């Protein structure tokens, strides 16, 4: 297998190659670091490289291969961490240049679990400032670009993570999602992006300040990789404000299990924000047709999300003010969001209203196993496309674009984005599957069934090969 093929090999397969001593952790790290050096200056997917630490870790793991066969599941596989998460001894900028010398003194628990699973961390990937925007172009950093077409965004806020996986600059990536920040970048870059259920992945040791709308999760090339990485990330940590019991079987097992006939609803519009564009509609309708052929019961219907828009915006924008950064250190849109932040009472009222609407949305799933929606309402925007708009105009464009994603954040339901084709510009087309609360296994099984029927793993961006 040549170096390009290795770089695009799914993480689970790389782990097996390492176990069989067909490739070493050091060889893999050197391949990825060389590719990052060649491609990242144009792609902007990494803010920070941890090359020396990665090489040292890889050397130690390569030596350990000669002395033991008791290895963790992803022993020696290279991964990236989003620059909203702390890795001890590594810069954590949150997409703000004022924090360029902010060295984390601890690991987030999700990072600890990733290390315990045997992964080797290559670096920190690009994000929007504070993770608040669906494109990754923070002031003071090169913009992250889409490897399928460098003129377009890879999405946000996990844009760097998705760009890195899609370009073969890491095997798999950790991301986070507070309003579509895993699913959107996965859709823009033709990947699998899984937002877990609320309480599935711990946010320890830090607190939770956005009413449970945000969570960490995996971005991967295959459903099996995403499922196996979710197995690694999952689990309660003492003191978590939300938690779920461990599943009876692993999420990886779910990816290898054919689903039973499911009751599936779908729609191509989001009430009250409108209809998806032709490309996004096409992805949904082709997927629905496939699912009917696979024996599932399909019906066009969806919840009314009208009451969710305003309270979700209030909760989401409060995260900017809660960051602790002075307003003058923020880029213009985040400054505008900071200025819009209301009182504590208004925030709590918005949380309560969001929870009432969330109950209504979850009730829709009493008669439905899975809801299929577009990931976004239109195709990816160009890098800098909204740069000359006012903050208010940009904000309205964002709300209109990402509309299908926030409902699952508000309700805490699991959701997964999967690629299903390409548009006329060569950009990926994806769909989003939303499941019942805590039903990641159902989504993973269904996504794997779609993946098997319409394989996409063979597709690689020409820029990256």
């Amino acid at each position: 297998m040549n170096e390009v093929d290795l770089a695009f090999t799914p993480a689970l397969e790389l782990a097996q190659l390492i176990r069989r001593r067909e490739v070493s952790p050091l060889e893999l790290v050197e391949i990825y670091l060389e590719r990052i050096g060649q491609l990242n200056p144009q792609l902007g997917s990494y803010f920070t490289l941890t090359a020396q630490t990665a090489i040292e870790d890889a050397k130690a793991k390569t030596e350990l291969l000669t002395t033991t066969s008791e290895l963790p599941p992803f022993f020696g596989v290279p991964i990236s961490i989003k620059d909203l998460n702390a890795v001890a001894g590594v810069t954590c900028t949150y997409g703000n240049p004022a924090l360029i010398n902010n060295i984390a003194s601890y690991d987030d628990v999700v990072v600890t679990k990733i290390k315990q699973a045997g992964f080797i961390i290559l670096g920190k990937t690009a994000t929007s400032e504070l993770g608040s925007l669906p494109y990754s172009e923070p002031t003071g950093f090169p913009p992250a670009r889409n490897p399928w077409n460098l003129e377009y965004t890879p999405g946000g806020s996990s844009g760097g993570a998705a760009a890195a996986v899609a370009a073969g600059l890491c095997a798999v990536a950790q991301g986070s999602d507070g309003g579509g920040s895993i699913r959107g970048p996965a859709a823009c870059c033709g990947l699998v992006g899984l937002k877990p259920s609320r309480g599935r992945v711990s946010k320890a040791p830090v607190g939770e300040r956005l009413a449970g709308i945000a969570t960490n999760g995996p971005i991967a090339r295959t459903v099996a990789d995403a499922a196996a990485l979710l197995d690694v990330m999952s689990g309660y940590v003492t003191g978590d404000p939300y938690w779920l019991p461990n599943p009876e079987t692993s999420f990886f097992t779910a990816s290898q299990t054919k689903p039973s006939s499911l009751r599936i609803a779908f729609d191509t519009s989001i009430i009250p924000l409108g209809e998806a564009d032709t490309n996004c509609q096409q992805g949904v309708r082709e997927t629905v047709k496939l699912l009917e052929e696979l024996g599932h019961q399909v019906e066009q219907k969806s919840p009314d999300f009208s009451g969710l828009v305003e309270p979700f915006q209030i909760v989401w924008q409060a995260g900017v003010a809660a960051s602790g950064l002075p307003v003058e250190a923020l880029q213009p849109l985040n400054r505008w969001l900071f200025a819009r932040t209301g009182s504590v009472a208004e925030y709590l009222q918005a949380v309560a209203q969001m929870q009432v609407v969330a109950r209504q949305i979850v009730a829709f799933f009493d008669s439905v196993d899975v809801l299929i929606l577009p990931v976004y309402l239109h195709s990816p925007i160009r890098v800098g496309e909204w740069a000359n708009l006012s903050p208010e105009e940009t904000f309205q464009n964002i709300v209109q674009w990402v509309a299908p994603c926030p409902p699952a954040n508000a309700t805490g339901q699991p959701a997964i984005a999967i690629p299903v084709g390409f548009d006329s510009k060569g950009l990926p087309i994806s769909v989003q599957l939303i499941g019942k609360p805590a039903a990641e296994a159902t989504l993973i099984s269904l996504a794997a069934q779609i993946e098997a029927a319409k394989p996409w793993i063979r597709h690689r961006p020409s820029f990256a090969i």
Side-chain angles (χ1 to χ4, degrees), residues 72-162:
F74 285 101
F75 183 84
V77 176
I79 193 172
S80 63
I81 304 296
K82 184 177 177 179
D83 205 21
L84 295 183
N85 289 84
V87 178
V90 181
T91 302
C92 191
T93 71
Y94 303 95
N96 186 293
L99 298 175
I100 198 70
N101 295 316
N102 177 45
I103 308 298
S105 59
Y106 64 91
D107 285 337
D108 282 343
V109 161
V110 70
V111 173
T112 299
K113 290 185 175 187
I114 283 168
K115 289 180 176 179
Q116 290 171 345
F119 282 107
I120 297 174
I121 296 172
L122 295 173
K124 305 291 290 295
T125 52
T127 176
S128 57
E129 185 180 70
L130 305 179
S132 61
L133 307 177
Y135 45 88
S136 304
E137 304 168 27
T139 303
F141 297 86
R145 297 179 180 274
N146 194 319
W148 294 99
N149 187 327
L150 295 179
E151 294 183 7
Y152 289 84
T153 182
S157 60
S158 306

Side-chain angles (χ1 to χ4, degrees), residues 205-295:
V206 299
E208 203 293 309
R209 63 189 180 202
L210 284 176
I213 67 173
T215 182
N216 290 289
I219 297 175
R221 292 192 186 90
T222 68
V223 174
D225 274 4
L229 182 50
L230 181 57
D231 284 325
V232 168
M233 292 180 170
S234 296
Y236 171 76
V237 173
T238 302
D240 284 343
Y242 313 103
W243 66 90
L244 292 172
N246 292 329
E248 293 182 4
T249 57
S250 72
F251 294 120
F252 171 73
T253 298
S255 75
Q256 309 300 301
T257 304
K258 181 181 177 181
S260 58
S261 178
L262 299 172
R263 300 165 300 172
I264 297 174
F266 77 95
D267 215 333
T268 57
S269 64
I270 300 296
I271 302 171
L273 294 171
E275 190 81 23
D277 72 3
T278 302
N279 288 321
C280 296
Q281 286 191 44
Q282 174 190 338
V284 171
R285 296 193 183 282
E286 289 183 356
T287 302
V288 164
K289 181 180 178 183
L290 171 63
L291 291 172
E292 287 177 323
E293 293 170 354
L294 291 170

